[in-house]
Amino acid sequence: MKEPTLGNPQNTIAVLQKYQFTFQKKYGQNFLIDTHVLDKIIRSAEISQEDMVLEIGPGIGTMTQYLACAAGKVIAVEIDRALIPILEDTLDGYDNVRIINGDILKIDLAKLVEEENGGRPIKVVANLPYYITTPIIMSLFEGHVPLRSITVMVQKEVADRMQAGPGSKDYGALSLAVQYYAKPYIAANVPQNCFMPRPRIGSAVIRLERYETPPVAVKDERLLFGIIRASFNQRRKTLANGLKNSPELDFTKEEIEAAIEKLGKGASVRGEALTLGEFAELSNWLYRG
């Protein structure tokens, strides 16, 4: 296996100039140019030769080279067709890499994992485009793709929201959704100068260790997340008003108030004060079967 050649500004610029590549703002392209950060991502993901890794948005193949050296197999999905010939060049000689030109949100990932890894759980590693971070992560979880962990570079504020707890300013629907499926851990904060072009805000590497079974038992996952969304859609409203005004829910005022009373929190409680376990209890009490 060849040693990685990318990960520093000089080599990245050389590849971009060779192919006269133009950054596409619509794809949120910011390429990593710091080998220390790349090493930290690989270590945080705990990749071994036993693993198949799915990389989303490989760009010019910088992190892909590092992943190929650590993993048994790498599937790299890139939406920008202009990057495919660059990837074929920079990944030449890395025989355990397969490049797919496509939209990660439109690919049947469960089928892909079955075909490429016999249905065994995979690890996801990516430097995610900021504009589509949440849809990608939630599609991986909600689509029940067999996976052990997701280790991704995201906006710092998004990473903070993913691991936030009740009562904090960052706590919200994303915190609860992520923590229902996985245990979050921020592995590193990454400054803007580690990217080309430089983003306006800081980034963070977050690892999401997938639970084999969720930490709370619920009768209806869709109801749970409907209640969570309703609770945070208008943060200044009380929990009761949030649930009553939600177009997703059709419970009576009496049903909602009775369920909240069982929590023992009082009528003025807001969603940001509830734990995941309390949201689970609330959804189970409101479940109609």
Side-chain angles (χ1 to χ4, degrees):
M1 186 72 67
K2 295 195 305 184
E3 286 295 309
T5 56
L6 297 172
N8 61 59
Q10 294 80 10
N11 290 357
T12 298
I13 290 169
V15 169
L16 296 176
Q17 289 179 341
K18 177 181 177 181
Y19 285 89
Q20 299 181 321
F21 177 77
T22 302
F23 288 96
Q24 296 292 316
K25 197 169 184 180
K26 66 178 178 178
Y27 293 136
Q29 292 167 332
N30 300 93
F31 300 157
L32 267 169
I33 51 170
D34 189 304
T35 57
H36 298 296
V37 174
L38 287 158
D39 286 334
K40 189 165 282 190
I41 293 171
I42 303 302
R43 286 198 306 271
S44 300
E46 297 180 0
I47 298 166
S48 76
Q49 291 292 315
E50 304 298 313
D51 293 319
M52 179 182 125
V53 174
L54 171 67
E55 184 187 9
I56 301 163
I60 62 170
T62 302
M63 189 157 64
T64 322
Q65 292 184 344
Y66 284 72
L67 291 170
C69 291
K73 181 185 288 187
V74 180
I75 307 294
V77 178
E78 175 55 58
I79 193 171
D80 187 354
R81 186 180 295 276
L83 285 167
I84 301 304
I86 301 179
L87 287 166
E88 289 172 347
D89 181 359
T90 61
L91 299 175
D92 182 39
Y94 293 91
D95 298 333
N96 58 343
V97 177
R98 177 187 170 193
I99 304 163
I100 297 175
N101 180 208
D103 183 343
I104 194 68
L105 294 176
K106 295 178 180 177
I107 292 173
D108 186 341
L109 292 177
K111 181 181 178 184
L112 182 68
V113 174
E114 180 62 42
E115 291 172 352
E116 296 286 348
N117 206 44
R120 296 184 304 278
I122 63 168
K123 292 179 179 177
V124 175
V125 183
N127 174 20
L128 288 180
Y130 293 161
Y131 75 100
I132 204 169
T133 294
T134 300
I136 288 175
I137 288 176
M138 295 316 301
S139 73
L140 289 166
F141 285 142
E142 292 173 351
H144 298 287
V145 178
L147 52 86
R148 296 195 188 283
S149 64
I150 301 173
T151 304
V152 287
M153 179 85 71
V154 298
Q155 249 178 304
K156 174 70 167 64
E157 63 182 48
V158 173
D160 289 339
R161 283 163 52 202
M162 286 183 190
Q163 71 160 16
S168 68
K169 66 178 178 63
D170 295 318
Y171 187 62
L174 179 61
S175 320
L176 287 154
V178 166
Q179 291 169 34
Y180 176 79
Y181 291 108
K183 182 179 180 181
Y185 163 69
I186 293 181
N189 293 319
V190 183
Q192 293 98 311
N193 60 5
C194 295
F195 298 91
M196 181 185 295
R198 290 174 62 147
R200 294 192 304 274
I201 50 180
S203 304
V205 178
I206 189 164
R207 175 184 165 94
L208 308 175
E209 186 74 27
R210 179 71 185 262
Y211 291 124
E212 287 191 20
T213 56
V216 295
V218 292
K219 296 174 182 176
D220 186 334
E221 283 186 11
R222 289 183 64 185
L223 174 58
L224 170 66
F225 290 119
I227 288 171
I228 288 170
R229 282 190 295 272
S231 302
F232 288 96
N233 275 346
Q234 296 171 294
R235 292 183 74 99
R236 293 184 181 179
K237 285 189 177 293
T238 64
L239 176 62
N241 283 334
L243 300 187
K244 290 172 196 171
N245 295 334
S246 171
E248 279 190 76
L249 306 174
D250 63 350
F251 300 106
T252 65
K253 175 184 174 182
E254 290 73 25
E255 286 175 313
I256 290 168
E257 289 177 353
I260 292 172
E261 190 175 338
K262 287 184 182 180
L263 287 175
K265 292 284 187 178
S268 62
V269 69
R270 288 181 168 82
E272 53 262 39
L274 298 192
T275 65
L276 177 59
E278 288 169 330
F279 272 111
E281 288 181 342
L282 190 62
S283 74
N284 287 340
W285 288 327
L286 287 169
Y287 178 68
R288 288 175 177 156

